[in-house]
Amino acid sequence: MKPIRVLVVDDSAYSRRSISKMLEGMPGVEVVGYAVDGEEGIRQAISLKPDLVTLDLEMPRMDGFTLLRILTNRFSLPVLVISALSDADKVFRALEMGALDFIAKPMQGHARELSSIEQDLKWKVKQIMVSLLSKKARQTPPAPEVDKPRKSLRSAGKRAVELVAIASSTGGPPALQSIFSSFDQSYPFAVVVAQHMPHGFTRAFADRLNRTSPFTVREAHDGDPVEPGLALIAPGGCNLLLEEVGAGIRARVKPPEASDRYVPSADVLFTSCAPLYGSRMLAVVLTGMGNDGSKGVVAVKERGGQVLAESEDSAVVYGMPREAVATGCVDRVVPLPGISQAILACGGFGNP
């Protein structure tokens, strides 16, 4: 099997050498070249034909955003952003422009700390490799599982959904933006979201969602009430759980356990919500690497809740939805453009 060919684009010689060394230590990965700015990045992409590009956004001459647009639109190349970004909005702009994922480098003046990203880098490249190899192995695109019910949907005898819990990872920020902005009004259910994201980015992300959604969207704080019309985003680097306090439900923000591979954890969120809401809960698993959420959807289904998963034809990485479907607990598989309407239909606020 041919190795995944990677082009490293970064204006820092230290960063180029360090990232290349980390990647070259991975089986099945070959660093085929590097570029010091956007203009050289284009030339190298044309001549080397890489399978994946790692990209620094803050570069001289042609900046990383311009190169990102060209790589994703003109060459359809997967891009992993690795940049020292103090402005979180730049991260979300890059993701909306087509970057698969991002890794935040230590800020300038701490170059020797670059080794701290090695584990995250190798994990994300490994998952991207799996996705790329899967796409190459398919001779023809899979028949999309578009809006097909797998089990019976909410019956008339059940109460309307009061909580929608969403899990997402790679490709999740643009997907969540699409879903939240497509609601035409604030509906009488609460939303909680576990989006895999490091500390320091989720507040800006929640603010970004809030600007375009009829729901009130904010980063969750410990003790926040869970209320209709409110969407709480799990803080980066922490887990979000729900607990019954008196007559209401409140958010609990806790540090991850050593066993938590994904943070914020969808499994932790889903399993905390399931006994509180039962049949009044809907879990949604969107695009993402790995299998986070698969244990959680089992807990949701055991308590009588419903489960949606994003379909393969729209998912940026069909990892988390695939694992959720494999449990046999997914009620409906829906492409991203139909997710918001499917949420309303399953919740009792629209037509199936």
Side-chain angles (χ1 to χ4, degrees):
M1 186 176 295
K2 292 183 179 181
I4 297 297
R5 296 162 52 82
V6 182
L7 171 66
V8 177
V9 183
D10 198 304
D11 66 321
S12 163
Y14 179 87
S15 292
R16 292 195 303 272
R17 289 194 303 269
S18 299
I19 293 169
S20 296
K21 185 177 180 180
M22 293 174 196
L23 294 175
E24 286 168 349
M26 295 182 63
V29 175
E30 178 186 2
V31 178
V32 295
Y34 64 85
V36 301
D37 58 40
E39 292 181 2
E40 186 179 9
I42 293 174
R43 292 195 296 271
Q44 294 288 57
I46 293 172
S47 64
L48 298 174
K49 296 180 173 55
D51 300 305
L52 172 67
V53 177
T54 70
L55 176 64
D56 182 15
L57 293 176
E58 299 173 335
M59 297 185 297
R61 301 174 71 183
M62 179 188 291
D63 68 14
F65 287 105
T66 303
L67 178 57
L68 173 61
R69 184 180 298 108
I70 293 171
L71 291 175
T72 55
N73 293 343
R74 187 178 302 176
F75 299 111
S76 299
L77 277 171
V79 176
L80 175 61
V81 168
I82 307 176
S83 193
L85 298 175
S86 57
D87 184 353
D89 279 336
K90 290 182 179 179
V91 168
F92 303 119
R93 178 185 169 198
L95 295 174
E96 289 170 0
M97 290 172 62
L100 279 183
D101 209 333
F102 75 95
I103 297 174
K105 290 194 296 188
M107 298 301 293
Q108 292 182 1
H110 301 277
R112 293 188 181 278
E113 297 179 9
L114 188 60
S115 60
S116 65
I117 72 168
E118 183 169 2
Q119 184 176 0
D120 195 21
L121 172 63
K122 289 184 174 180
W123 161 250
K124 290 184 176 180
V125 169
K126 181 180 178 180
Q127 296 303 310
I128 292 170
M129 284 171 57
V130 171
S131 178
L132 291 175
L133 291 172
S134 175
K135 290 179 180 179
K136 287 183 177 181
R138 291 200 302 263
Q139 297 299 316
T140 57
E145 298 178 277
V146 179
D147 210 10
K148 298 291 185 181
R150 290 180 173 265
K151 301 179 187 298
S152 59
L153 296 177
R154 188 185 66 83
S155 66
K158 289 186 178 181
R159 288 175 287 180
V161 164
E162 295 179 12
L163 179 76
V164 176
I166 304 177
S168 53
S169 184
T170 303
L176 289 165
Q177 184 84 49
S178 172
I179 292 168
F180 275 98
S181 63
S182 65
F183 288 119
D184 60 348
Q185 59 180 296
S186 177
Y187 286 87
F189 53 79
V191 183
V192 288
V193 177
Q195 161 67 45
H196 297 165
M197 196 170 283
H199 173 73
F201 289 90
T202 41
R203 181 176 179 180
F205 179 51
D207 290 344
R208 197 176 183 90
L209 294 177
N210 188 60
R211 290 196 292 267
T212 60
S213 175
F215 281 81
T216 298
V217 186
R218 64 171 182 255
E219 183 184 60
H221 292 87
D222 194 65
D224 279 346
V226 179
E227 301 172 334
L230 174 64
L232 296 176
I233 310 297
C238 297
N239 284 332
L240 174 63
L241 303 83
L242 300 191
E243 291 183 356
E244 189 170 12
V245 179
I249 306 294
R250 291 190 177 269
R252 291 296 180 218
V253 176
K254 298 183 178 181
E257 302 289 338
S259 58
D260 292 332
R261 186 172 188 180
Y262 310 98
V263 182
S265 169
D267 282 330
V268 169
L269 178 60
F270 286 2
T271 54
S272 75
C273 298
L276 299 177
Y277 286 89
S279 63
R280 296 172 290 121
M281 175 183 174
L282 170 66
V284 183
V285 181
L286 301 177
T287 174
M289 303 176 185
N291 63 357
D292 192 24
S294 60
K295 293 180 181 178
V297 299
V298 174
V300 170
K301 185 54 59 177
E302 287 176 345
R303 296 285 184 157
Q306 300 176 81
V307 181
L308 294 178
E310 183 178 354
S311 64
E312 185 173 5
D313 57 313
S314 68
V316 172
V317 177
Y318 191 61
M320 287 168 54
R322 178 195 291 114
E323 295 296 326
V325 170
T327 66
C329 295
V330 172
D331 297 298
R332 201 167 184 179
V333 178
V334 189
L336 179 61
I339 291 284
S340 59
Q341 288 304 310
I343 289 173
L344 296 179
C346 293
F349 305 102
N351 296 320

